[in-house]
Amino acid sequence: MTRTTSVTAVRAAPIDHARITDGLAEALRVKNEAARLGMALAPTVDRVYLVACGAPNRVMLALEYWLDQTRTQLHVKRFFPAEFVTLEPRLDERTLVILASKSGTTRETVDAARYLQDKPCQTLAVTSTADALLARAAKRTLLIGDTEQAHTGIFIALQALVGGLMHARDGWPHLDALLRSLDALPEVLVEAARQNDARALEDARTYQHDRTLYHLASGPMFATAYVFGVCMLMEMQWMHSIPVEAAEWFHGPFEILDASTPVMLLLGEDPSRPLAERALAFCKKYSSRLMIYDSLDYPMHGIDPVIRPIVAPFVLQAALNRFAEHLSELHGHHLDTRRYMWVTEY
């Protein structure tokens, strides 16, 4: 049943330090196990498939990007679970299939794990607890606990796993820096939320009557453009909220831009940044209705400089969560309200 929420009942949730840091404690605990597992798996796999829906799929987009950057000889491909089962990609004993779901109950992801149970491959599930359906269907698990911070928790566990894999297989030299930086990440997320809260309220007031927003980003930062645009504004605020890859912008989408078009531009610190900067320069020329969020504006205390590009999408996500909270209050539309998801058959 759809929940009806009155305007006066909706309030932006405050920044809760303990809720963020405690919510990631289990993911941090499991990250060392994940790194060791990645190193152990390295000599046993030639092919990695990344399989998940929604936000976890976009976490995997970032992993795919960094695996590609190491010039690894691994064959790496990302799928949505229903797509994976339909396409039936090649599997053998040297194939590792990584599946992720926040709750461990996502039907398509659980179905994909069950589909793989009698196939010649290795499976690893990243999810909440050992009794989750997904955990029970996979051969190995990394468990991040039952947490509201599952999006970042999945990132921490999987990035540590991929770091171990890249270190052992391709000599990636930054594994220790990565693990130290992941330990610092929860405090950095709180720091980013606090730094952006006043600006987020100002932006929410400015754009509260727009029903369409575009989000532009490149490389791993597109994961944030997607999660914020689709999972938060489209799903949680029922807005027309469209993420566009900066590399695609000049090949059709830019024709939508005029002086009244609101665009959010997200800039990271990875090698794809020039693509986003080019789109930004164009947007500045034709519109002043721009929200520019740049990870370089965030100090990220405790994050090693070489790891900043890897965690930047999640730092900006923490900052943008404040925009969603304030927009929710101004819209009188609680972020938990759904019309269809978990409400109807689909």
Side-chain angles (χ1 to χ4, degrees):
M1 175 180 291
T2 302
R3 182 146 39 107
T4 302
T5 309
S6 69
V7 172
T8 55
V10 180
R11 291 286 182 270
I15 299 168
D16 189 330
H17 179 281
R19 201 169 187 174
I20 295 172
T21 56
D22 293 353
L24 291 170
E26 191 62 17
L28 290 181
R29 187 199 64 75
V30 85
K31 81 175 192 315
N32 293 327
E33 173 190 342
R36 288 193 296 271
L37 178 59
M39 288 189 283
L41 288 172
T44 73
V45 297
D46 297 324
R47 185 178 300 104
V48 176
Y49 294 141
L50 304 163
V51 180
C53 297
N57 184 285
R58 301 305 159 162
V59 170
M60 290 172 167
L61 179 153
L63 301 172
E64 191 177 31
Y65 177 90
W66 291 113
L67 279 164
D68 185 58
Q69 282 293 308
T70 64
R71 306 291 190 267
T72 181
Q73 294 300 309
L74 279 171
H75 173 211
V76 182
K77 188 169 175 58
R78 178 174 48 93
F79 295 91
F80 288 94
E83 174 188 40
F84 179 80
V85 172
T86 301
L87 294 178
E88 298 184 328
R90 176 184 173 184
L91 298 167
D92 60 28
E93 288 76 7
R94 294 184 66 80
T95 300
L96 171 65
V97 185
I98 302 173
L99 308 106
S101 164
K102 295 177 184 178
S103 65
T105 61
T106 309
R107 186 182 65 190
E108 294 94 329
T109 313
V110 173
D111 287 348
R114 288 172 175 163
Y115 162 82
L116 291 166
Q117 284 180 323
D118 62 351
K119 300 291 190 297
C121 64
Q122 307 183 58
T123 56
L124 169 69
V126 183
T127 187
S128 55
T129 57
D131 61 351
L133 293 174
L134 180 61
R136 285 189 273 158
K139 294 171 185 171
R140 290 190 176 91
T141 58
L142 291 173
L143 304 176
I144 60 169
D146 187 5
T147 171
E148 291 183 1
Q149 305 298 316
H151 175 237
T152 309
I154 288 173
F155 162 69
I156 289 173
L158 281 181
Q159 188 63 62
L161 177 92
V162 167
L165 195 64
M166 294 191 299
H167 174 76
R169 186 179 175 94
D170 300 300
W172 189 62
H174 306 304
L175 180 58
D176 289 342
L178 171 68
L179 297 179
R180 288 196 308 273
S181 297
L182 292 178
D183 280 330
L185 186 59
E187 292 291 345
V188 170
L189 301 182
V190 176
E191 173 189 82
R194 287 175 174 162
Q195 178 177 334
N196 193 52
D197 194 45
R199 182 201 162 170
L201 175 58
E202 182 182 346
D203 281 346
R205 285 172 173 160
T206 301
Y207 294 94
Q208 62 176 302
H209 300 301
D210 284 283
R211 299 310 299 167
T212 303
L213 286 178
Y214 292 87
H215 310 272
L216 263 170
S218 61
M221 193 58 79
F222 185 73
T224 301
Y226 183 95
V227 170
F228 186 69
V230 173
C231 300
M232 301 205 74
L233 298 191
M234 193 177 284
E235 175 185 327
M236 300 180 185
Q237 289 294 287
W238 305 350
M239 295 176 64
H240 297 275
S241 180
I242 302 104
V244 179
E245 299 239 26
E248 184 186 6
W249 178 243
F250 296 103
H251 303 279
F254 73 150
E255 290 292 345
I256 201 68
L257 185 72
D258 62 23
S260 66
T261 309
V263 181
M264 173 181 283
L265 296 109
L266 306 180
L267 289 94
E269 301 168 38
D270 62 277
S272 76
R273 182 180 173 97
L275 300 175
E277 289 177 328
R278 181 188 173 201
L280 172 61
F282 179 87
C283 291
K284 280 182 172 178
K285 189 173 180 181
Y286 294 100
S287 177
S288 60
R289 302 201 71 223
L290 306 178
M291 288 176 278
I292 303 163
Y293 282 87
D294 190 338
S295 68
L296 289 173
D297 294 333
Y298 292 81
M300 302 190 202
H301 294 107
I303 304 295
D304 190 285
V306 77
I307 303 300
R308 281 183 61 104
I310 294 177
V311 303
F314 299 87
V315 174
L316 282 197
Q317 181 66 58
L320 292 174
N321 287 347
R322 300 310 303 161
F323 180 96
E325 288 287 353
H326 292 300
L327 205 58
S328 169
E329 179 172 332
L330 292 167
H331 286 166
H333 182 133
H334 199 282
L335 294 172
D336 289 338
T337 304
R338 302 287 186 278
R339 268 193 291 232
Y340 309 115
M341 190 177 285
W342 310 306
V343 175
T344 64
E345 289 294 324
Y346 53 92

